[in-house]
Amino acid sequence: MDIQTKIGVAGAGTMGTGIAQVASSAGHEVIVFDNSRDALDRSATGLRKTMNRLVEKGKLSEQDAKSLLGRIRHVTGADAFRECGMVIEAIVENLDAKRSLFNEVEKQVDDTCVLATNTSSLSIASVGGRCRLPGRLLGVHFFNPAPLLPLVEVVPGLDSEQGLAEKVRDIVKTWGKVPVIARDTPGFIVNRIARPFYGEALRVYEEGIAGFAEIDAAMKTLGGFRMGPFELMDLIGNDVNYQVTASVWEQMFYDPRYRPSITQQRLFEAGRLGRKAGRGYYAYADGKPVDGVPAEPGPHGEEVYLRILCMLINEAADALYLGIAGKDDIELAMTKGVNYPKGLLHWADELGAREVYESLCRLREDYREDRYRPSLLLKRMAADNGRFFT
Ligand SMILES: NC(=O)c1ccc[n+]([C@@H]2O[C@H](COP(=O)([O-])OP(=O)(O)OC[C@H]3O[C@@H](n4cnc5c(N)ncnc54)[C@H](O)[C@@H]3O)[C@@H](O)[C@H]2O)c1
């Protein structure tokens, strides 16, 4: 695959439009297909607006903007994918819809065309399972907004051909992205490891140890996170964040580590979805918080920060232990995908594996809940005074 490869994008929504922009700005011709005329129009108009903005800001020349738009074609039929070397699917998150789309695409493209799904919550095995040639399908998970966020999780499925992930990783790299390879497991890397940032913060809040503004302040001032968990949940949307948590929890066969929170479920049910609804944990006017977030982490700030951080490190260590991804990719995923100030495994080295392990053991002892079970890798490292990086 090279710059001459025509890229097909199925779905002209938020992600499809962003992915089309990324591929075109790297020099590919891009065919965007959607079954809704309105979605295609919105996508084309949105891209024109984005280009105008970039030109106004001096980030792109008028000529480059024109060429980028000129390489993207919006179409109403998947037959236009005929000459594509790769088709990336970003349609609705529904297994049957994705399977039938790929069946249709397979009738159009030749046998060497790579098929990729941008699914966030379905397994790659299930999406590829009904393909005529499942070996050429894999996950290519972009983050929103795709043109701005550098991370892309490349996820081979059970039947993906040997070497396909590496081939796709290399092409995604030429698009200026930071690709990491992840195993086909719930949440892949980022949406799995990041769960305690929200879940443990909610738990601490529910127990009355700290208020949500104090927890946000603790994570920002003591941990250096750009946003606190509650601010971030309000930005992501309490509907989206709740549903991701519930989906990972169910797919993990109800492992208590990933259990959703009733507090967040109630916000979701009440329509307090966050910034987009004007109300979540905080109140918003014109998309900005009304009250601001107090800068004080409160009397339990240090305890709260360490508790959430140790839970995050435990997830990262366990993901490494279970071979979800390599340690460099785990660090890249969390720093480039969700802007963590440091990789969690480097953070563990700073704190000391024993310190992290003992914090988790104390929580487990206090609560007697499996939620706090330390990763076996962390336990072994604590015993040997081990480090993730030398
Ligand atoms: N939005 C995010 O933050 C995000 C991030 C990463 C991955 N994803 C994944 O990307 C995919 C798309 O998400 P989105 O947010 O862009 O959704 P979206 O609703 O903005 O866009 C989906 C588009 O697919 C079209 N569509 C639906 N069924 C179709 C079909 N059978 N054939 C052709 N087009 C069809 C719709 O008309 C719509 O334009 C989903 O799988 C989602 O899980 C979303």
Side-chain angles (χ1 to χ4, degrees), residues 188-200:
F188 308 134
I189 308 176
V190 169
N191 280 338
R192 173 196 190 112
I193 295 180
R195 297 279 40 94
F197 191 65
Y198 319 106
E200 202 54 23

Side-chain angles (χ1 to χ4, degrees), residues 158-194:
L158 200 57
D159 289 322
S160 304
E161 278 159 17
Q162 200 76 29
L164 180 66
E166 289 73 15
K167 181 167 142 186
V168 170
R169 177 187 61 193
D170 292 346
I171 184 101
V172 167
K173 225 185 240 174
T174 67
W175 297 357
K177 294 292 169 194
V178 177
V180 292
I181 295 186
R183 270 182 62 192
D184 184 13
T185 46
F188 308 134
I189 308 176
V190 169
N191 280 338
R192 173 196 190 112
I193 295 180

Side-chain angles (χ1 to χ4, degrees), residues 11-16 33-36 39 89-93 98 101 118-120 141-142 144:
T14 312
M15 295 309 292
F33 157 65
D34 200 291
N35 62 5
S36 148
E89 166 281 311
I91 67 166
V92 61
E93 188 75 336
K98 287 186 192 292
L101 175 98
N118 188 47
T119 183
S120 300
H141 186 225
F142 285 81
N144 186 17

Side-chain angles (χ1 to χ4, degrees), residues 197-312:
F197 191 65
Y198 319 106
E200 202 54 23
L202 280 156
R203 174 75 185 248
V204 163
Y205 167 70
E206 283 168 355
E207 287 186 31
I209 297 169
F212 49 79
E214 287 176 323
I215 299 170
D216 278 351
M219 297 315 283
K220 289 196 294 183
T221 57
L222 304 172
F225 288 87
R226 281 201 205 158
M227 296 182 87
F230 295 91
E231 290 174 286
L232 191 52
M233 284 185 274
D234 271 1
L235 181 69
I236 294 168
N238 284 303
D239 48 349
V240 174
N241 191 264
Y242 173 74
Q243 280 157 352
V244 172
T245 306
S247 156
V248 170
W249 179 55
E250 282 161 25
Q251 291 186 65
M252 291 291 203
F253 308 112
Y254 306 103
D255 184 333
R257 260 194 198 162
Y258 308 103
R259 188 188 298 136
S261 135
I262 289 175
T263 300
Q264 190 177 35
Q265 187 187 35
R266 290 290 177 270
L267 261 78
F268 166 48
E269 289 166 352
R272 287 175 58 166
L273 305 183
R275 242 169 229 243
K276 63 187 173 190
R279 217 154 62 113
Y281 297 101
Y282 300 98
Y284 299 86
D286 300 326
K288 297 210 171 64
V290 175
D291 307 324
V293 182
E296 290 303 314
H300 300 288
E302 185 76 20
E303 172 196 336
V304 166
Y305 149 64
L306 281 174
R307 175 164 164 177
I308 296 171
L309 180 60
C310 287
M311 290 292 275
L312 285 168

